[in-house]
Amino acid sequence: MATSKAISPFRLSSLLRLQKDPALALELFRNPNPNHDPKKPFRYSLLSYDLIITKLGRAKMFDPMEQVLHQLKQETRFTVPEVLFCVVISFYGRARLPARALQTFESIPSFRCKQTIKSVNTLLNALLNCGQYKKMREILSGMNEYGKPDACTYNILINACCVGGDIEQARTMFDEMLRNGVRPTVVTFGTLINGLCLNGEIQEALKLKEDMTRDFKLKPNVFLYTTLLKGLCQIGELSWAFRIKDEMVRNKVKLDSAVYNTLIDALFKVGRKEEALVVMEEMKKSGCKPDLVTCNVMISEYCREKNFEEAYKILEQTEIFKPDVVNYNVIIGSLCREGKSIEASELFQDMPRRGCAPDVVSYRTLFDGLCNCMHFKEAAFILDEMMFKGYAPLSRSINKFICQLCREGDFQLLSAVMTSLGNGNFLYEDIWKIAVSMTCSKEKPSEFELFDTLVVP
């Protein structure tokens, strides 16, 4: 009987690259040749390790990934590159696991690999993602051991200052960068300009952009321009925002949907609807397709005008984009605010047919709308469905609903609602207090009536 040909290290790498399921890839990696001679261990290539570690990290299968790393540590046939550890540290940073990111960084020398500023920068960025500012400072205090800070280092530190709202410290880091002879990049200026805009210092941001082009001969990218556009639109400087847009065109920077959406939204908010529609047409002619943000901007405007028919039409334009749950929630919320909770309920019920499942915001919004319109039976049904789906209702909404039922004297529905809340583990002490106190304030209900209506089986 013929036996299948053994998988070579090269072939294993090819198979791992093609395998989409990380669990199956791990099984293949662990046992590439089930019938192999145990006296001849499989000689894994560095590429195979790289591929499986990356697949497991992306799938957040961290324990198996660590097992593979431990196996890699035993290899002596090749040197493990620092970039592989940078990838692992980044996975932990995105997963908000700062301790594991730090542990990986500290383990690099045990793999016969040297830590450099590259892995330090990766760790700093991971710690920033996790909000570990104190730990970042500790790493900085010993940075000279790994090399001199480069532009990437300062970009991360400036971003950390901006995220933390300390724009003065961000300026200090920028000045230190210049003093140490490190040339800023477009990312450096974009990060600092974004921080200035968030801090409301638009004039300073514009001046920094001029310094960047004049003194450092750097061209702003689309992110930097969009940041300035948003900042100008937020303070109502639309004329200046359009000058920035014109500058982008002159500098042959391609305008993306974020630029157009920012301008369209700003024009709508100040009542310049016709100009907004002109910008939208320009957007289409430029080959920049409207996206979900465009959809949401248009829906928000039509809802503000109480023109729900036009808002519905946007939801039907599935050939342009597929509306998401945010788009539906905007309309549901607007309908509820206008007292049209039944129409909101109909749209809510139609969402699954349209390929969009309601989320917790959808349920909470509709529940509040039905309560405000005194549609208590419908509200109770939505509440029950919400808890069945595993979504937690807001306590203030439940308290208000219980109060409304008590005022209406609908003890039968009150009993059903409290039973449902009890089954969903949402029957808190304050709900009992509200129900008992308001029921007792009625015109002398009998003890049996109270017991029958409030006791949850």
Side-chain angles (χ1 to χ4, degrees):
M1 185 176 178
T3 57
S4 59
K5 187 177 180 181
I7 294 176
S8 67
F10 176 80
R11 177 63 175 159
L12 176 61
S13 298
S14 300
L15 292 173
L16 288 174
R17 185 180 284 110
L18 293 172
Q19 180 54 254
K20 303 299 182 185
D21 187 329
L24 292 178
L26 177 62
E27 185 178 339
L28 175 63
F29 177 84
R30 284 175 170 168
N31 197 12
N33 291 310
N35 300 320
H36 78 288
D37 184 352
K39 295 180 180 180
K40 295 180 180 180
F42 191 85
R43 295 172 67 84
Y44 292 93
S45 67
L46 178 58
L47 178 57
S48 293
Y49 279 108
D50 193 337
L51 288 167
I52 192 62
I53 287 170
T54 302
K55 283 182 181 291
L56 294 174
R58 284 176 179 162
K60 297 185 178 180
M61 297 171 64
F62 295 131
D63 288 340
M65 183 183 75
E66 287 291 343
Q67 292 169 10
V68 174
L69 282 168
H70 179 72
Q71 179 178 326
L72 176 59
K73 187 183 292 188
Q74 315 309 314
E75 294 281 1
T76 57
R77 293 176 294 110
F78 43 72
T79 301
V80 183
E82 184 185 22
V83 66
L84 181 59
F85 300 104
C86 293
V87 169
V88 173
I89 292 169
S90 296
F91 285 141
Y92 284 137
R94 287 194 287 271
R96 304 294 190 270
L97 295 170
R100 283 198 169 192
L102 183 59
Q103 183 181 27
T104 301
F105 174 78
E106 292 174 343
S107 73
I108 292 177
S110 67
F111 288 81
R112 301 168 303 284
C113 178
K114 185 179 179 183
Q115 298 150 312
T116 71
I117 198 65
K118 178 179 283 189
S119 54
V120 173
N121 289 342
T122 307
L123 177 62
L124 287 173
N125 195 54
L127 294 173
L128 173 59
N129 288 338
C130 301
Q132 297 287 315
Y133 304 113
K134 182 179 179 181
K135 187 60 68 175
M136 288 180 71
R137 286 193 289 271
E138 292 177 10
I139 298 298
L140 286 171
S141 64
M143 179 172 284
N144 291 336
E145 181 183 344
Y146 311 107
K148 292 183 178 180
D150 59 10
C152 182
T153 312
Y154 282 107
N155 292 345
I156 295 167
L157 298 177
I158 290 171
N159 191 27
C161 296
C162 292
V163 170
D166 192 346
I167 195 65
E168 287 306 317
Q169 183 61 27
R171 287 191 179 101
T172 300
M173 294 304 306
F174 181 75
D175 292 340
E176 179 186 314
M177 182 180 190
L178 297 180
R179 285 198 306 273
N180 289 340
V182 179
R183 180 178 171 79
T185 65
V186 174
V187 174
T188 312
F189 285 101
T191 303
L192 190 51
I193 285 172
N194 184 53
L196 290 167
C197 288
L198 290 175
N199 203 49
E201 299 183 42
I202 308 300
Q203 294 295 335
E204 282 295 314
L206 290 166
K207 180 180 179 300
L208 189 60
K209 191 262 292 183
E210 295 302 319
D211 293 343
M212 165 188 169
T213 55
R214 184 186 62 249
D215 300 336
F216 295 90
K217 309 301 183 219
L218 293 171
K219 292 183 179 181
N221 58 16
V222 66
F223 169 78
L224 192 151
Y225 276 125
T226 305
T227 299
L228 287 171
L229 270 169
K230 289 179 179 178
L232 290 165
C233 288
Q234 284 171 357
I235 63 173
E237 290 286 354
L238 295 188
S239 297
W240 210 329
F242 274 93
R243 288 204 292 272
I244 292 291
K245 170 183 168 289
D246 294 339
E247 182 180 321
M248 292 179 71
V249 174
R250 288 196 306 272
N251 290 342
K252 298 181 180 180
V253 177
K254 185 174 178 57
L255 279 66
D256 61 11
S257 59
V259 173
Y260 286 111
N261 290 336
T262 300
L263 293 171
I264 292 167
D265 186 44
L267 289 167
F268 275 140
K269 284 179 178 176
V270 295
R272 293 160 62 176
K273 180 179 177 180
E274 294 304 318
E275 292 176 66
L277 294 176
V278 169
V279 173
M280 178 165 285
E281 285 304 311
E282 180 187 327
M283 177 183 185
K284 293 176 182 177
K285 289 178 181 178
S286 71
C288 183
K289 293 182 178 180
D291 57 15
L292 284 173
V293 177
T294 318
C295 174
N296 209 38
V297 169
M298 295 298 295
I299 286 174
S300 298
E301 173 61 16
Y302 285 127
C303 287
R304 188 188 65 79
E305 295 177 347
K306 302 176 187 178
N307 188 349
F308 296 109
E309 288 301 319
E310 289 298 322
Y312 289 144
K313 287 180 182 178
I314 293 177
L315 295 180
E316 300 293 341
Q317 297 178 12
T318 53
E319 71 280 357
I320 300 176
F321 40 63
K322 183 180 179 181
D324 66 1
V325 69
V326 175
N327 304 137
Y328 283 98
N329 288 345
V330 170
I331 300 180
I332 290 171
S334 298
L335 287 168
C336 288
R337 284 192 292 275
E338 290 301 311
K340 299 178 181 290
S341 60
I342 298 303
E343 290 92 329
S345 182
E346 290 172 353
L347 179 60
F348 175 91
Q349 300 296 340
D350 200 37
M351 285 175 68
R353 181 188 68 79
R354 296 167 180 256
C356 185
D359 64 3
V360 63
V361 176
S362 314
Y363 278 100
R364 288 174 174 176
T365 303
L366 181 58
F367 175 70
D368 287 344
L370 290 167
C371 289
N372 291 336
C373 292
M374 311 290 280
H375 296 303
F376 299 136
K377 288 185 179 179
E378 292 82 355
F381 177 82
I382 289 297
L383 175 63
D384 199 46
E385 185 178 311
M386 184 192 327
M387 293 186 293
F388 178 77
K389 292 283 180 102
Y391 297 136
L394 294 173
S395 57
R396 65 174 181 271
S397 299
I398 296 300
N399 293 347
K400 180 181 177 182
F401 187 35
I402 296 299
C403 288
Q404 289 174 315
L405 293 177
C406 290
R407 290 194 192 98
E408 291 296 309
D410 194 340
F411 297 122
Q412 185 176 358
L413 185 56
L414 174 63
S415 176
V417 168
M418 294 188 72
T419 299
S420 182
L421 289 169
N423 292 336
N425 294 320
F426 291 108
L427 190 56
Y428 305 126
E429 183 180 352
D430 56 341
I431 297 176
W432 274 104
K433 288 180 179 178
I434 291 170
V436 171
S437 63
M438 293 197 68
T439 305
C440 290
S441 67
K442 294 291 180 183
E443 294 183 1
K444 298 181 180 180
S446 69
E447 293 179 7
F448 293 107
E449 181 186 2
L450 284 173
F451 184 82
D452 290 340
T453 56
L454 294 182
V455 171
V456 177

